[in-house]
Every structure is written in structure tokens, then in C-alpha cells.
Amino acid sequence: MGEVTSCSDNVLAACSDESISARKDAETENRDDFRSRVAHLEDCARAANASGRLGVDLCGLEIENPVIPASGTFGYGYEFADIFDISVLGSFSFKGTTAQPRFGNDQHRIAECSAGMINSVGLQNPGVRDVVAHELPALAETGYAKAVMANVSGFSIDEYVQVSQVLDAEPQVGWIELNVSCPNVHGGGLTFGQDPHAAAQVVRAVKAALRKPLIVKLSPNVTDIVAIARACADAGADGLALINTVLAERIDLRTRRPVIARRDGGFSGPAVFPIAVRMVDSVCRAVDIPVVGIGGVSRARDVVEMMMAGATAVQVGSANLVNPLASLAIVAQLPAVMDEYGIERLADVIGVAL
């Protein structure tokens, strides 16, 4: 005797088939909508760049616009090239690189906050030799031809010099961005960026080994960031980038333990934007070298405000992790914000609030 199929079974099967079909249609529609949105933003960004209104000079290198995704939030670029045309950006700073591979800190390394996030990734990277052998060629295969910013970390002056020299020799690298927020293992564990003398030492040594511009990335976790900035400028830095993340901590109410395995980490996101603007303002009034503003930037208006505080270019950080189109959208939307405030060229507003 054959298997008996009830009417309800037939209805369920039909509904299931219809549900699957509807879901596939919805997914296709969503993908098409996303592609359409990306294409529109790319067209707007290309038009903005072509207008010539967004261009700035960063330490002797002309870039089409001042929007630069920050190190640690944009990989090595090729990961985002699958999403949108990254050549519409001014540049980007790739993942912090050390001499040897690093696997990073223990989990958990990320904690969410109401107006940002805390991270304690621990400079996870494949090491400078692998970056040169694999990561930069993978970027080149995407067709990206602009200069990139190479973010360098180290735990001694020798390591900073070694890594910087290797990356300085790469044609794709336009600037060396020196992260001085790493502990000085030969100086009692204090980070290079917390002491003006230590900061000046590492800057002087690295600058002597380079042909390309040196931009020093400063930590906000200091008593006087202006003193650090002046020391770096006097030691030969071509530019400064600030701010790095602010130390912060979250507690898990259920476990009654810190969310981050190492207790604290670097806080970033919209909440730190006013802090970053104040520090950029203070540093720009104290030194005569270009400053790259970083911290909580998530929209075109933030870019303009940061530049009015003195920044020549602006990095976009954790916003890229929330929305992979964030930096693209900022470039696309800048002309409208400029028109709203009567700005013909972005370069004209650099430091107008100082």
C-alpha cells in the first residue's frame, strides 16, 4: 500500500516551498539594493574627487580627499575592495605591523559600549615580512594604486627602525605612521608615547632611517599631549596623528569580572570625538607640522569640524566596523556639507577655529 499524504502535509510543503522562494527573492532584492546603494555612493565620491574641492597636501603628498580609514579598522585594504571601490578614498592606514608575527591578546578582546567599543586586540598581525610578501601584493591585485599609510608598532627602538625601514622600501607605502603607544621593554614598560624624551628618541632614530614622511600617532592617555607632540616635532616628525584610543573598562554583571580578558582596552567611537577635537586643537596650536585627526569620526560633518580644529586629514576608525561603507559615504557626502556652510575648498578651512 502506498504512503498516504494528508492534505495538511501538502499545504505545509507548499508553504515551505513558497517561503523558501520568497526568502530567496528577498535576499536577491536586498543584494540588488545594496549594490545599487554602493554604486550611487561610488559615483558621488568620484564626482567629489573630480571636482578638486576635497584635495589636501599631507606631508608633501597630494591626496584627493582627507578621508583615511584608520589602522586596525580596514585590514590591508583588499578585504574592503570586495565591497566598494577603495580608490575613492584619500588613502588608508593598514593594520599595525611588528617585526615578528603576533597572535594578539586572549579572548575576550572586544566590549561593546553605548557610544563606542573597547578593544584589546593586542597588535595581532602576520609580521612585516609576511605583509611585504603577501598582504601588499594582494592589495596591488585589486588595482589600488594610491599611496597607503604603513602603521608600525614596536617594543624597542631597534624594532621600530627595522620594521619602518622594510616598509619604507615598498613602492605602495607613502607614509610611515609610527604608533608610539607600545611599551618600551627596555624602559621599564612605560610606553614610548607617554614620555617626551622616549618619544623623541624613537622618532629621531626612525626618521634617520627613512626616505618617506614620518607621521607619529599619539596616545591620549598622558598628562600633557602637547609636550609629547612638541618632542616628536622637534625630533624630526613630518606629521602627527591623534588621538589613539582612550583606556577604558567594562564589567560583566553576570560573571562579575571585566569583559576584556586583560581588564582594560582602548575605547573608540562617537563618544571620544569631542575629546579628540580638543586635543587636535591643542596640538595644532603648539606645532607647525600637519596633524591627522582621529577619534569618533563617523560622518562628513565630523571631518569638517576636525579640520577646522587644525587637522589636515582625518582618519575614520570604529565607524568602519559598524558600517563597512562609512568612509565611502563620508567622501560622497562631503560636498553637500561644504555647500551648506559655504566652503569652496576643504583645504581653506584647515585651522580656521584656532
Side-chain angles (χ1 to χ4, degrees):
M1 183 175 179
E3 182 180 349
V4 177
T5 302
S6 70
C7 178
S8 60
D9 288 337
N10 290 331
V11 170
L12 287 173
C15 288
S16 178
D17 289 344
E18 290 175 4
S19 177
I20 291 172
S21 177
R23 187 165 65 248
K24 288 181 177 179
D25 289 344
E27 289 173 353
T28 300
E29 185 176 349
N30 287 338
R31 282 196 297 270
D32 290 344
D33 287 346
F34 180 77
R35 292 192 188 102
S36 177
R37 183 183 173 212
V38 170
H40 174 68
L41 289 174
E42 288 175 334
D43 288 344
C44 291
R46 292 188 189 104
N49 287 334
S51 72
R53 300 174 63 195
L54 275 57
V56 296
D57 181 309
L58 180 58
C59 301
L61 277 71
E62 294 286 340
I63 53 178
E64 285 187 305
N65 64 71
V67 180
I68 302 173
S71 176
T73 70
F74 210 71
Y76 291 96
Y78 62 82
E79 302 93 333
F80 279 74
D82 290 336
I83 304 172
F84 69 91
D85 179 9
I86 62 173
S87 66
V88 301
L89 303 171
S91 180
F92 71 89
S93 181
F94 63 68
K95 193 168 178 56
T97 303
T98 53
Q100 301 301 323
R102 287 179 58 85
F103 296 100
N105 294 334
D106 293 336
Q107 298 288 352
H108 291 115
R109 308 193 297 193
I110 301 291
E112 293 187 40
C113 306
S114 57
M117 61 175 284
I118 301 172
N119 89 86
S120 179
V121 173
L123 298 174
Q124 180 177 330
N125 77 97
V128 67
R129 297 298 175 186
D130 188 271
V131 168
V132 169
H134 301 291
E135 305 295 351
L136 291 182
L139 170 64
E141 287 177 4
T142 69
Y144 185 86
K146 292 183 175 181
V148 298
M149 196 172 287
N151 185 280
V152 173
S153 293
F155 299 93
S156 68
I157 292 177
D158 287 344
E159 182 175 1
Y160 274 113
V161 172
Q162 175 192 348
V163 177
S164 297
Q165 281 184 311
V166 172
L167 293 171
D168 184 64
E170 290 301 304
Q172 290 161 293
V173 172
W175 310 262
I176 299 295
E177 182 181 46
L178 207 67
N179 176 11
V180 293
S181 300
C182 302
N184 179 1
V185 295
H186 301 300
L190 191 71
T191 68
F192 285 96
Q194 288 180 298
D195 176 69
H197 177 68
Q201 278 188 311
V202 69
V203 169
R204 193 173 292 112
V206 171
K207 178 61 181 174
L210 298 183
R211 297 171 301 159
K212 293 173 181 175
L214 175 63
I215 296 175
V216 184
K217 188 172 184 177
L218 304 182
S219 169
N221 304 304
V222 295
T223 303
D224 185 358
I225 197 170
V226 170
I228 309 294
R230 283 181 173 143
C232 292
D234 291 344
D238 299 292
L240 302 170
L242 60 143
I243 57 176
N244 209 331
T245 53
V246 180
L247 285 175
E249 182 177 347
R250 295 298 306 274
I251 305 293
D252 186 317
L253 302 187
R254 283 187 290 269
T255 65
R256 304 185 182 187
R257 300 295 302 163
V259 176
I260 300 292
R262 294 172 62 93
R263 303 196 71 87
D264 60 19
F267 180 49
S268 60
V272 307
F273 180 70
I275 299 171
V277 170
R278 182 192 72 81
M279 289 191 169
V280 167
D281 177 291
S282 298
V283 166
C284 287
R285 285 187 285 112
V287 301
D288 293 323
I289 57 177
V291 167
V292 179
I294 318 168
V297 175
S298 60
R299 55 184 187 162
R301 293 173 185 273
D302 296 341
V303 171
V304 175
E305 183 174 347
M306 193 71 87
M307 294 181 74
M308 288 182 174
T312 296
V314 177
Q315 290 189 6
V316 182
S318 55
N320 296 309
L321 306 178
V322 177
N323 173 15
L325 300 181
S327 293
L328 169 63
I330 288 173
V331 177
Q333 293 161 4
L334 271 170
V337 175
M338 293 166 65
D339 290 343
E340 181 179 351
Y341 293 98
I343 301 167
E344 179 55 34
R345 294 175 62 254
L346 268 183
D348 296 337
V349 302
I350 297 173
V352 297
L354 300 179

